[in-house]
Amino acid sequence: MASTSESKADATPTTERPTVIVCVGMAGSGKTTFMRRINSHLHSKGSPPYVINLDPATLEVPFDCNIDIRQSIKYKDVMKHYNLGPNGAIMTSLNLFATKVDQMVGLLEKRAKPDPEHPERKPVKHIIVDTPGQIEVFVWSASGQILLESLASSFPTVLAYIIDTPRTTSTSTFMSNMLYACSILYKTKLPMILVFNKTDVKDASFAKEWMTDYEALREALADDELRAETEGAESGSGYSSSLLSSMSLVLEEFYSHLSVVGVSSRVGTGVAEFFEAVKEKAEEFERDYQPELDRLRTAKEEEKVKKRERELEKMMKGMSVQGGESDLVSKIGSVDVVEDSGDEEYEDEEGGSSALQDRYKAALGGGGDSVEAEASYAKYLHSQRQ
């Protein structure tokens, strides 16, 4: 009993921060209906979630949102202003929204803590995020990566990959879904739960069996191949069967890192099992994913510093600055670094060394943390090389 209590105590830190559940899935998989179901489930448990909608093109959301991208960005106006199609407008809307991701994370962090002004308001335990039905627009875009990384840097983040179960009964469709889920897992580097939705129409036991029993999948492949021959399908089914069989062996390691849950968003079955899987994945995030994300973030920051040092050294050589590097760096560090618009003209002959310092102030404005500072710095380097 003591060991059990100790294990629960060890898991306590994972409950101090709310868990982010990002719902992704193909169009028509029932993703928004699933969002409504888990939202209703959490409300019934007396623990309302913090809800975020990141789909700018949806006409109606069947649940109340705390943050709705549609309130910040008008999808149709983006299409007209930038002369874009539907997918391009969705991506552009996400790009515009991603510029304010720091504000979003700030609001989430505020709601994750007790509010002294409203002590009756409990900190949220779950943050659920609805994403566009065009899954590739979110998962493979720079804005989607920024949003996911920003959430993962502050909270345990779990991906819920929603799958349309009735449309996955074919072995080829099933394997396509698995490959897509695999690519998303390794692209985002976040723990994932496979949610086989619409189990009230088709039970997901066959999919779970295919993931754990290779021989069962082989038999299903043989049945599909026989059916294709009976229906007079074109040649090549044998190659397809061999390829899918090989793929199932390749994905065996991938399956071991997944949680699989069958859910009916319409009826509500399987939702309790889903949140049990979410709890496990949140603990896995804290244990396995968080250290790796911290390591990658630290390496990225160190590389950024080294890159700026290399650019500074290159700039010094190009300008043939007199004096040692340490002397120049000390001069830069001795002045207040401010952001400059770049419209002023510098007169070297009249200003002397002070004008040189002004140039560095303009080039290194903002300390390199803002987009404007980076652009000013790059512009200055470009002008000196011409």
Side-chain angles (χ1 to χ4, degrees):
M1 295 297 292
S3 60
T4 304
S5 61
E6 289 177 0
S7 62
K8 290 183 178 180
D10 295 339
T12 302
T14 62
T15 61
E16 293 180 356
R17 297 189 297 170
T19 301
V20 179
I21 305 171
V22 182
C23 298
V24 297
M26 301 289 187
S29 61
K31 179 168 47 60
T32 301
T33 309
F34 174 76
M35 279 279 298
R36 180 177 63 179
R37 173 58 64 181
I38 62 176
N39 183 29
S40 174
H41 176 81
L42 291 172
H43 273 87
S44 67
K45 296 296 183 181
S47 179
Y50 197 93
V51 184
I52 301 174
N53 173 45
L54 294 181
D55 188 355
T58 184
L59 296 177
E60 184 179 356
V61 177
F63 44 80
D64 294 331
C65 298
N66 299 94
I67 297 178
D68 194 338
I69 189 175
R70 299 176 302 168
Q71 295 180 353
S72 304
I73 300 167
K74 304 301 180 183
Y75 170 72
K76 291 185 178 179
D77 292 344
V78 171
M79 290 183 68
K80 293 178 181 179
H81 182 74
Y82 294 101
N83 193 25
L84 296 170
N87 289 346
I90 292 175
M91 181 174 293
T92 302
S93 299
L94 286 171
N95 291 341
L96 294 172
F97 188 78
T99 61
K100 303 298 182 181
V101 67
D102 56 331
Q103 296 181 12
M104 183 185 74
V105 173
L107 292 172
L108 296 178
E109 291 177 341
K110 184 178 180 181
R111 287 293 287 116
K113 301 176 182 178
D115 190 351
E117 298 180 359
H118 302 279
E120 73 282 357
R121 181 185 296 176
K122 299 180 181 179
V124 295
K125 296 182 179 180
H126 294 91
I127 301 169
I128 57 178
V129 183
D130 193 12
T131 59
Q134 291 80 351
I135 185 173
E136 68 280 356
V137 172
F138 178 79
V139 174
W140 301 104
S141 65
S143 55
Q145 183 177 359
I146 290 171
L147 291 167
L148 285 176
E149 288 182 352
S150 300
L151 291 171
S153 65
S154 301
F155 311 101
T157 304
V158 178
L159 289 177
Y161 183 68
I162 318 300
I163 299 174
D164 189 344
T165 307
R167 296 185 178 181
T168 317
T169 54
S170 168
T171 53
S172 58
T173 308
F174 168 79
M175 192 58 62
S176 297
N177 266 298
M178 295 301 102
L179 290 173
Y180 210 109
C182 181
S183 65
I184 294 174
L185 176 68
Y186 289 106
K187 174 67 169 61
T188 60
K189 296 180 176 64
L190 293 173
M192 177 182 287
I193 302 173
L194 291 186
V195 180
F196 283 91
N197 197 14
K198 306 181 184 180
T199 54
D200 54 305
V201 179
K202 176 65 178 179
D203 188 76
S205 57
F206 73 94
K208 297 178 182 179
E209 185 180 17
W210 288 353
M211 295 175 67
T212 55
D213 189 346
Y214 176 71
E215 291 302 325
L217 180 61
R218 289 269 305 201
E219 292 178 4
L221 288 170
D223 291 341
D224 285 350
E225 187 174 356
L226 180 61
R227 189 180 303 109
E229 293 177 355
T230 303
E231 295 175 355
E234 296 180 1
S235 60
S237 60
Y239 168 76
S240 175
S241 176
S242 176
L243 177 63
L244 295 177
S245 179
S246 301
M247 286 293 181
S248 65
L249 292 176
V250 172
L251 293 177
E252 185 176 355
E253 178 67 19
F254 165 67
Y255 293 150
S256 64
H257 295 284
L258 294 178
S259 294
V260 183
V261 181
V263 173
S264 171
S265 297
R266 186 178 69 86
V267 180
T269 56
V271 176
E273 290 79 0
F274 169 75
F275 280 102
E276 290 177 2
V278 168
K279 183 179 179 181
E280 293 176 1
K281 288 300 178 181
E283 295 174 357
E284 181 182 336
F285 178 92
E286 296 276 12
R287 183 181 65 251
D288 301 331
Y289 286 81
Q290 187 69 65
E292 179 64 13
L293 291 174
D294 292 340
R295 185 190 66 80
L296 292 175
R297 191 177 300 112
T298 302
K300 187 176 180 180
E301 290 297 326
E302 292 177 351
E303 178 60 27
K304 184 178 179 180
V305 172
K306 292 179 181 179
K307 182 178 180 180
R308 290 190 63 84
E309 290 176 351
R310 291 194 298 267
E311 292 293 341
L312 180 60
E313 182 180 358
K314 190 183 297 182
M315 181 177 63
M316 290 165 53
K317 292 180 179 179
M319 294 179 62
S320 301
V321 176
Q322 299 295 328
E325 178 181 353
S326 60
D327 180 56
L328 178 60
V329 173
S330 64
K331 289 182 180 180
I332 296 175
S334 64
V335 298
D336 294 330
V337 180
V338 295
E339 186 173 345
D340 191 275
S341 62
D343 296 330
E344 298 181 6
E345 295 182 359
Y346 300 95
E347 298 179 1
D348 293 353
E349 293 80 2
E350 297 179 3
S353 61
S354 62
L356 179 61
Q357 291 185 1
D358 290 339
R359 283 190 172 188
Y360 278 111
K361 288 163 62 179
L364 302 177
D369 292 333
S370 65
V371 176
E372 292 83 358
E374 295 288 353
S376 177
Y377 182 56
K379 181 178 179 182
Y380 179 73
L381 287 176
H382 181 69
S383 63
Q384 292 301 322
R385 291 171 181 170
Q386 290 180 344

